[in-house]
Amino acid sequence: VSVSLTDIRNTVGNVPMEWYRDFPHIGYNLDGKKIYKPIRNKDELDDFLDKMDNPDYWRTVPDKQTGSDVVLSDEQVQLVNRLQRGQFGDANFNEYEPQVEFFSRDVMLHPVTNRPADKRSFIPSLIEKEKVSKLVHAIKMGWIKPRRVEDDSRGRYYDLWANEDSSILARHKMHLPAPKIPLPGHQESYNPPPEYLFTDEERALWEQQDPCDRKLPFVPRKFSSLRQVPAFSRFIHERFERCLDLYLCPRQRKMRVNVNPEDLIPKLPKPKDLQPFPTTQSLVYRGHSGLVRSISVSPSGQWLASGSDDGSVRFWEVCSSRCLKTVQVGGAVKSVAWNPNPSVCLLAVALDSVVLILSPSLADRQVVLSSERLLSAPQEADANEGAGPVTWSETEGEELNHGIRLKIQHPKAVQQVSWHAKGDYVASVMPDHSSNLQVLIHQLSRRRSQNPFRKNKGLVQCVSFHPVRPYFFVGTQRSVRIYNLVKQEMTKKLQANSKWISSMAVHPGGDHVICGSYDCRLSWFDLDLSTKPYKMLRHHKKAVRGVAYHRLYPLFASASDDGTVIVCHGTVYNDLLQNPLIVPVKVLRGHEITHDLGVLDVTFHPTQPWVFSSGADATIRLFT
Amino acid sequence: MSQLQARFFTEDKRYIVDDVPFSIPAGSEVQDLSNVINKLLEANNASHSKVEFDFLVRGQFLRTSLSIHMDTEGSYDKTARIWSVEGKAVMTVAGHTDVVKDVAWVKRDGLTSLLLTASLDQTLLLWEWNSERNKLKARHCCRGHTGSVDAVATDPTGSKFCSGSWDKMLKIWSAVPTDEADEVEEPADRPRKKQKTQQLGLTRTPLMTLSGHNEAVSSVLWCDSEEVCSASWDHTIRVWDVETGGMKTALTGSKVFNCISYSPLCRRLASGSTDRHIRLWDPRTKDGSLVLLSLTSHTGWVTAVKWAPSHEHQLVSGSLDNLVKLWDTRSCKAPLYDLAAHEDKVFCVDWTESGLMLSGGADNKLYSYRYSACQTDAGA
């Protein structure tokens, strides 16, 4: 706005305008002369005419300071309008300019303030510390009493049910109110739709059924109007039944137990807690050319004897897998058994229909001497010895050089030999369906044999002596019979649920027996528990050929036609209350399946947690 | 310096030499023999380039521990053989009635040497070997064990030796050959055996018996001249005091111990077990069992371990997985070298004085290896 000399704005001074009311002038010009008010002698009429005619009337404004009328220009009018509307005066002003971000999230090169943070922003506040210490002092001096926390728990609430009888409480909890009567539906209507009425068959069915079986206790009837509805005949009956329901009918909550099926499975210990047990194959004893049917470890644990279908018995050194001795016996060997008496070194071999007693010279001189003494002929010669079913004979010449000492000739093929724990008696099995001469017990020192059984009770598969007591276990096809040798009678008959028992082993403690059968099952019998198996293990896929217990460690193993040996942990507890704990622990693989036969025999080392297994692939493997 | 006759055989057609006996100095080593062969081959074929040879010897089944410098081995053919370093069987030591399990040198002088053989027939024989005249004579037959003798070791002074057997006992015997027989009760019903003893030398009875193991003793050694260390199948290693005959400490493990070896340089005992680890123990610890280090790389039973006589960190081990491994105890994660020469199980390893390693195994072969010390640190 340019200031011209004639249009100086403030000619008045900073005084209120009513001081000039009575004067003819208003303001002064630069020279000091009075500026006279413009003549305004417009009366109402002129004013009205002015209003009508003057096109600029609406924007004419009297200026207080100069007294004249000012005609506003368009921009000024626009300015006034904007101000009246509450907008910014300047039309060009854009109040929505983008803000200059003064503080932004972008990290600028130079910060707004580079003032380092005060230490007081990191450490506990000093002002608060002062306040707190003042309060503490006040509390100590007793000026302020701290508010005690109210202990609401005691005394505020009275336990209503504290002294209540628990049986009453239980009854209250168990209370189930009678269910509400269902609201009447279409059946109960006095004019039901025709489909709710009974047809003749439904009617007949309804009458036939027992009252308690019926779905509806009444027959739906149809009446054309409410007036015609008769009195309900069963009214009292219905009410009475409801009352009986309410106060006489016992109801009980059905306790549904939410059982997690996994909780029912007993928690067995993990195998790695049950170490030591054999885990890997360590040695392979190669040398046989036919399938190895039977193996036996010496009581000292140094030697392993094996018999095979190629007609030889081999002696191996356990720790080096070297075959030290081979004895050709001239027939497929079905079973070998080492004498468990540690002061004697003898091996019983069953082949064809002969049982041979071998004396391998693998031991100390003293031991060999006592073996010889055991084998030497008895002084007294009984006359009726020759007439028995078996004949004893000593060997000479070539056979003697090999170590074979005695031959016991049987009438039929011998399947298995088994020693008594003391080492004097040996039992041999000749399976035959029809005869009663299936089991023979021989005494080495007196060279006597006897048949303990008179009747034939089934095809005998395997026999075993009890390790401690005078019992004799005979395993037939379906059951295991336990005989007391002293009383000469049968004490127990264990029924396995298997079709064909193949092998049997007795626990060294003498109270448990395991049987393996050709239908892939292994049954553990607890003799103190019952004659039925305590546990049946079905770990194998094919027939179980051999089972064995460890003498010292709580382990047992089973060998099967699927080429595996499964070692399980079986702890037996001394107290009669706890059942044995059976945990399968390792599957040992290594044998190859030859001609559908896998592992044929399994036995444990007497002192170390090692297991030997012999298979149809003509090898014996040691797992440690 | 005595000369030996040697014949060289090979199946490799490139390296065949004439099959005539050569006269080789007795002190030759693999390197010298290699030179001889190379010279012969060069004479035949002008374009032959120098090749390092290894020499193999054949015998019956081998299972023993080897001694230093001149090697003896016992084997399952009931004899022991003395080999020269170049690989020739110098002498066959026959006298046992059963398999020879272990051998040990008592002393090796220039002229006469004494050696011991331990066998399955429960006796030990002390032999005197005259290397000049190549004559061997059995001086003593040591009886007393009731089980096969599996391990024998001589003490550092050479005056005593200790044997361990399957009858769970250790027996200490004198190693000095004398001329009079020890008193021994001869059972009356064995006249045949009496004649045999006279052929095998005078009978000797043990000075002391150390009992305490619950199972067979698989390996014995002398820590110093008054201490014997034995490892057994009852999972323990026991240190015995020879003076009193009592047990000093017992280190318990969890598996059967197959073999142990002691190094006076680092005073550590290394043991091989029926699991695949070699464990290092400190025999001076007073408490039950503290395995210092466990070296794992074998995949079968470790049947033999031996510390290097000149290097305090090296040891060699043989195992049933046909491998011989050379270890440095400073890098325990992996062995320095895997020597895969055997085709069957390795049963024994040893070091010679000249720094050769030897190993014998079930494939009837005795291999010798040379390890040239590298300047680089073991970083395997």
Side-chain angles (χ1 to χ4, degrees):
Chain A
V1 175
S2 65
V3 173
S4 60
L5 279 168
T6 54
D7 193 29
I8 296 171
R9 295 290 176 194
N10 193 3
T11 56
V12 173
N14 272 337
V15 296
M17 281 297 116
E18 57 249 12
W19 293 5
Y20 282 106
R21 195 172 36 161
D22 296 325
F23 290 98
H25 71 279
I26 187 164
Y28 301 87
N29 61 7
L30 274 179
D31 300 323
K33 300 279 184 329
K34 296 181 186 170
I35 306 175
Y36 288 94
K37 291 182 187 168
I39 303 168
R40 300 169 66 98
N41 41 3
K42 280 209 180 140
D43 55 0
E44 293 286 340
L45 201 62
D46 283 331
D47 216 6
F48 176 74
L49 284 173
D50 208 19
K51 200 192 290 188
M52 290 295 128
D53 296 333
N54 190 0
D56 292 328
Y57 178 80
W58 57 278
R59 49 172 160 180
T60 315
V61 173
D63 186 354
K64 275 207 205 131
Q65 283 193 340
T66 57
S68 55
D69 292 326
V70 175
V71 176
L72 297 175
S73 65
D74 283 332
E75 294 91 17
Q76 287 169 328
V77 171
Q78 218 184 15
L79 174 69
V80 170
N81 283 338
R82 289 173 66 84
L83 286 176
Q84 277 176 338
R85 278 205 291 266
Q87 296 172 333
F88 281 101
D90 188 3
N92 298 331
F93 177 75
N94 180 12
E95 63 264 26
Y96 301 116
E97 293 276 6
Q99 242 185 348
V100 171
E101 295 283 348
F102 196 70
F103 287 106
S104 75
R105 86 167 80 136
D106 303 324
V107 175
M108 303 296 183
L109 267 177
H110 300 287
V112 173
T113 53
N114 202 8
R115 187 177 148 184
D118 298 314
K119 185 173 175 186
R120 60 174 180 265
S121 60
F122 298 117
I123 57 174
S125 147
L126 287 170
I127 302 165
E128 283 200 355
K129 189 168 148 195
E130 276 175 39
K131 283 189 185 157
V132 165
S133 62
K134 279 202 178 143
L135 284 170
V136 165
H137 183 60
I139 289 172
K140 276 193 190 155
M141 300 299 285
W143 307 327
I144 297 177
K145 290 209 177 48
R147 222 178 359 166
R148 202 115 47 87
V149 173
E150 278 183 6
D151 196 5
D152 277 341
S153 57
R154 320 173 278 107
R156 264 282 203 104
Y157 304 102
Y158 174 70
D159 188 359
L160 202 60
W161 308 108
N163 297 325
E164 198 69 39
D165 194 5
S166 64
S167 61
I168 303 175
L169 275 178
R171 201 147 42 90
H172 287 160
K173 267 194 227 155
M174 288 292 156
H175 170 67
L176 279 168
K180 293 187 186 159
I181 314 171
L183 289 175
H186 294 290
Q187 251 107 12
E188 281 92 356
S189 161
Y190 72 93
N191 191 4
E195 55 265 24
Y196 285 93
L197 296 170
F198 279 166
T199 59
D200 288 331
E201 307 143 351
E202 285 175 349
R203 184 70 185 267
L205 185 66
W206 188 88
E207 277 167 7
Q208 204 189 46
Q209 276 175 336
D210 283 335
C212 43
D213 287 339
R214 289 176 188 152
K215 276 210 202 108
L216 300 168
F218 61 94
V219 179
R221 287 168 69 182
K222 189 180 171 73
F223 303 95
S224 58
S225 72
L226 206 52
R227 281 179 291 121
Q228 281 148 10
V229 175
F232 186 40
S233 56
R234 289 190 77 246
F235 175 64
I236 296 176
H237 206 80
E238 204 180 292
R239 288 283 105 212
F240 181 58
E241 274 182 3
R242 177 68 185 165
C243 289
L244 288 180
D245 240 6
L246 285 174
Y247 65 78
L248 216 49
C249 176
R251 283 189 174 83
Q252 201 184 1
R253 247 178 251 279
K254 197 170 188 178
M255 300 299 284
R256 274 223 174 93
V257 188
N258 283 341
V259 176
N260 208 1
E262 278 97 45
D263 293 341
L264 291 172
I265 304 170
K267 291 209 176 37
L268 295 175
K270 288 201 191 65
K272 67 172 158 59
D273 300 331
L274 298 169
Q275 292 265 358
F277 53 84
T279 46
T280 51
Q281 182 181 300
S282 306
L283 281 174
V284 182
Y285 302 81
R286 291 183 208 276
H288 276 295
S289 46
L291 47 97
V292 186
R293 277 204 195 262
S294 166
I295 45 178
S296 178
V297 190
S298 80
S300 66
Q302 200 179 358
W303 316 109
L304 174 70
S306 65
S308 129
D309 266 2
D310 62 359
S312 66
V313 172
R314 280 179 192 252
F315 294 93
W316 314 82
E317 189 188 15
V318 164
C319 50
S320 63
S321 84
R322 165 81 170 167
C323 175
L324 282 163
K325 235 189 195 175
T326 310
V327 180
Q328 296 290 343
V329 293
V333 176
K334 293 275 168 31
S335 167
V336 292
W338 210 294
N339 193 324
N341 188 357
S343 59
V344 166
C345 182
L346 291 171
L347 188 77
V349 176
L351 70 133
D352 293 340
S353 54
V354 169
V355 171
L356 300 172
I357 309 283
L358 268 95
S359 166
S361 41
L362 287 172
D364 186 34
R365 247 168 287 134
Q366 294 293 346
V367 171
V368 173
L369 267 185
S370 37
S371 317
E372 297 287 333
R373 230 175 285 132
L374 191 65
L375 293 172
S376 56
Q379 304 300 42
E380 70 278 5
D382 290 340
N384 51 357
E385 275 318 304
V390 295
T391 44
W392 291 70
S393 56
E394 286 187 27
T395 53
E396 54 249 348
E398 191 61 39
E399 287 180 334
L400 199 65
N401 288 345
H402 284 305
I404 308 177
R405 290 276 179 277
L406 286 179
K407 257 195 204 175
I408 311 173
Q409 184 70 38
H410 287 66
K412 282 187 286 269
V414 182
Q415 180 83 4
Q416 191 215 359
V417 280
S418 171
W419 287 92
H420 184 258
K422 295 263 175 58
D424 196 15
Y425 290 91
V426 62
S428 57
V429 174
M430 296 171 292
D432 188 356
H433 282 281
S434 50
S435 89
N436 64 334
L437 186 63
Q438 292 190 64
V439 180
L440 283 170
I441 299 185
H442 316 278
Q443 190 180 8
L444 269 190
S445 53
R446 299 220 199 120
R447 299 212 189 160
R448 264 194 333 187
S449 315
Q450 38 180 283
N451 174 13
F453 304 117
R454 253 173 291 130
K455 274 193 269 184
N456 174 28
K457 296 284 174 104
L459 186 72
V460 174
Q461 295 284 115
C462 46
V463 295
S464 172
F465 284 93
H466 193 282
V468 186
R469 287 171 235 140
Y471 288 109
F472 191 56
F473 295 85
V474 176
T476 56
Q477 267 188 311
R478 310 284 298 255
S479 60
V480 175
R481 289 190 165 80
I482 307 176
Y483 293 91
N484 189 332
L485 290 169
V486 170
K487 290 194 208 151
Q488 309 207 341
E489 60 183 19
M490 178 173 99
T491 42
K492 254 190 224 186
K493 182 169 150 187
L494 306 174
Q495 285 285 34
N497 290 339
S498 335
K499 297 275 172 355
W500 198 328
I501 292 176
S502 66
S503 50
M504 179 174 70
V506 185
H507 192 268
D511 287 326
H512 303 267
V513 174
I514 41 174
C515 294
S517 71
Y518 286 130
D519 51 0
C520 325
R521 283 183 231 191
L522 188 135
S523 331
W524 177 299
F525 291 92
D526 188 339
L527 297 178
D528 294 327
L529 189 65
S530 92
T531 56
K532 290 268 161 45
Y534 159 65
K535 261 238 165 92
M536 294 266 270
L537 303 173
R538 273 185 213 86
H539 300 302
H540 284 289
K541 302 277 178 316
K542 291 210 193 141
V544 175
R545 291 257 166 194
V547 290
Y549 270 110
H550 199 289
R551 218 169 53 115
L552 299 175
Y553 289 88
L555 297 170
F556 64 93
S558 57
S560 143
D561 266 347
D562 58 2
T564 62
V565 172
I566 293 190
V567 174
C568 300
H569 175 101
T571 7
V572 160
Y573 299 100
N574 277 340
D575 57 341
L576 297 168
L577 293 172
Q578 249 185 317
N579 284 332
L581 173 71
I582 297 174
V583 182
V585 132
K586 186 79 189 170
V587 174
L588 298 168
R589 291 173 215 274
H591 277 282
E592 289 137 16
I593 303 178
T594 321
H595 306 304
D596 286 337
L597 293 175
V599 188
L600 294 174
D601 196 11
V602 69
T603 182
F604 278 100
H605 192 275
T607 49
Q608 303 291 340
W610 301 344
V611 71
F612 299 89
S613 65
S614 74
D617 53 358
T619 58
I620 302 162
R621 287 166 205 259
L622 166 63
F623 297 92
T624 62
Chain B
M1 174 83 83
S2 53
Q3 299 275 40
L4 289 168
Q5 292 210 329
R7 274 202 161 99
F8 298 104
F9 308 96
T10 179
E11 282 165 14
D12 194 343
K13 295 228 171 18
R14 294 176 288 165
Y15 302 128
I16 288 186
V17 295
D18 296 332
D19 189 17
V20 290
F22 292 95
S23 181
I24 311 268
S28 313
E29 299 196 345
V30 178
Q31 190 64 32
D32 302 316
L33 280 175
S34 233
N35 287 338
V36 168
I37 300 280
N38 277 315
K39 284 218 177 58
L40 288 168
L41 288 170
E42 269 175 27
N44 289 344
N45 185 356
S47 62
H48 165 77
S49 52
K50 205 150 179 311
V51 178
E52 275 279 326
F53 286 103
D54 265 318
F55 291 88
L56 321 173
V57 297
R58 285 173 203 278
Q60 285 264 321
F61 189 74
L62 288 168
R63 189 249 184 264
T64 181
S65 79
L66 304 169
S67 312
I68 40 182
H69 179 55
M70 296 284 259
D71 315 313
T72 68
E73 47 140 61
S75 69
Y76 273 78
D77 66 350
K78 306 179 189 168
T79 63
R81 274 168 226 260
I82 304 178
W83 305 89
S84 64
V85 172
E86 58 266 22
K88 178 96 175 90
V90 169
M91 187 72 200
T92 303
V93 180
H96 278 290
T97 53
D98 210 338
V99 166
V100 174
K101 281 286 191 99
D102 202 3
V103 294
W105 284 103
V106 177
K107 65 180 176 83
R108 311 118 4 252
D109 286 349
L111 285 177
T112 53
S113 315
L114 289 173
L115 83 107
L116 285 162
T117 53
S119 142
L120 213 63
D121 65 0
Q122 299 149 31
T123 59
L124 296 119
L125 289 171
L126 176 67
W127 305 84
E128 184 183 336
W129 181 53
N130 194 327
S131 55
E132 278 270 329
R133 281 176 277 144
N134 216 12
K135 273 204 172 8
L136 195 65
K137 188 171 151 217
R139 294 302 298 267
H140 286 281
C141 174
C142 310
R143 289 176 198 281
H145 277 297
T146 52
S148 85
V149 187
D150 265 6
V152 66
T154 21
D155 81 333
T157 60
S159 58
K160 293 196 287 280
F161 66 92
C162 178
S163 62
S165 102
W166 262 88
D167 63 357
K168 312 169 199 172
M169 308 282 192
L170 290 132
K171 290 189 195 280
I172 314 262
W173 321 70
S174 152
V176 179
T178 55
D179 282 326
E180 59 279 355
D182 288 348
E183 294 192 11
V184 66
E185 317 102 46
E186 300 264 340
D189 54 342
R190 284 185 311 150
R192 288 187 294 152
K193 296 279 182 172
K194 219 175 187 171
Q195 286 168 11
K196 262 201 182 159
T197 45
Q198 267 151 27
Q199 285 170 6
L200 287 171
L202 309 159
T203 313
R204 175 164 280 179
T205 45
L207 296 171
M208 197 187 301
T209 303
L210 305 168
S211 67
H213 275 299
N214 299 321
E215 297 265 340
V217 178
S218 57
S219 176
V220 292
L221 51 88
W222 291 78
C223 296
D224 51 40
S225 50
E226 289 306 326
E227 269 184 18
V228 172
C229 199
S230 66
S232 134
W233 279 36
D234 65 355
H235 312 184
T236 58
I237 298 174
R238 288 174 204 245
V239 182
W240 311 81
D241 188 342
V242 171
E243 286 270 317
T244 59
M247 189 183 80
K248 271 207 200 160
T249 32
L251 302 166
T252 320
S254 63
K255 294 274 160 84
V256 165
F257 288 109
N258 274 334
C259 50
I260 43 174
S261 172
Y262 179 68
S263 167
L265 296 168
C266 58
R267 270 182 283 281
R268 294 269 182 271
L269 205 59
S271 75
S273 310
T274 52
D275 55 11
R276 5 176 237 122
H277 309 291
I278 302 163
R279 293 189 172 87
L280 299 184
W281 311 76
D282 187 351
R284 304 269 165 240
T285 50
K286 289 296 166 217
D287 30 24
S289 61
L290 248 187
V291 179
L292 293 165
L293 199 56
S294 187
L295 304 169
T296 308
S297 172
H298 281 294
T299 51
W301 290 9
V302 180
T303 45
V305 282
K306 249 321 188 281
W307 285 99
S310 48
H311 203 290
E312 66 173 290
H313 291 291
Q314 278 180 5
L315 66 100
V316 68
S317 68
S319 140
L320 294 183
D321 60 358
N322 313 350
L323 290 176
V324 174
K325 295 190 193 242
L326 176 66
W327 299 83
D328 189 312
T329 52
R330 290 170 294 196
S331 77
C332 52
K333 294 272 186 309
L336 285 179
Y337 290 99
D338 280 1
L339 306 159
H342 280 281
E343 289 128 23
D344 206 346
K345 314 182 257 276
V346 177
F347 277 116
C348 49
V349 291
D350 206 345
W351 294 81
T352 66
E353 258 180 1
S354 42
L356 279 179
M357 284 171 280
L358 301 151
S359 72
D363 54 355
N364 305 345
K365 294 206 174 75
L366 177 67
Y367 284 97
S368 64
Y369 315 90
R370 161 151 288 146
Y371 170 54
S372 46
C374 310
Q375 293 307 315
T376 58
D377 270 341

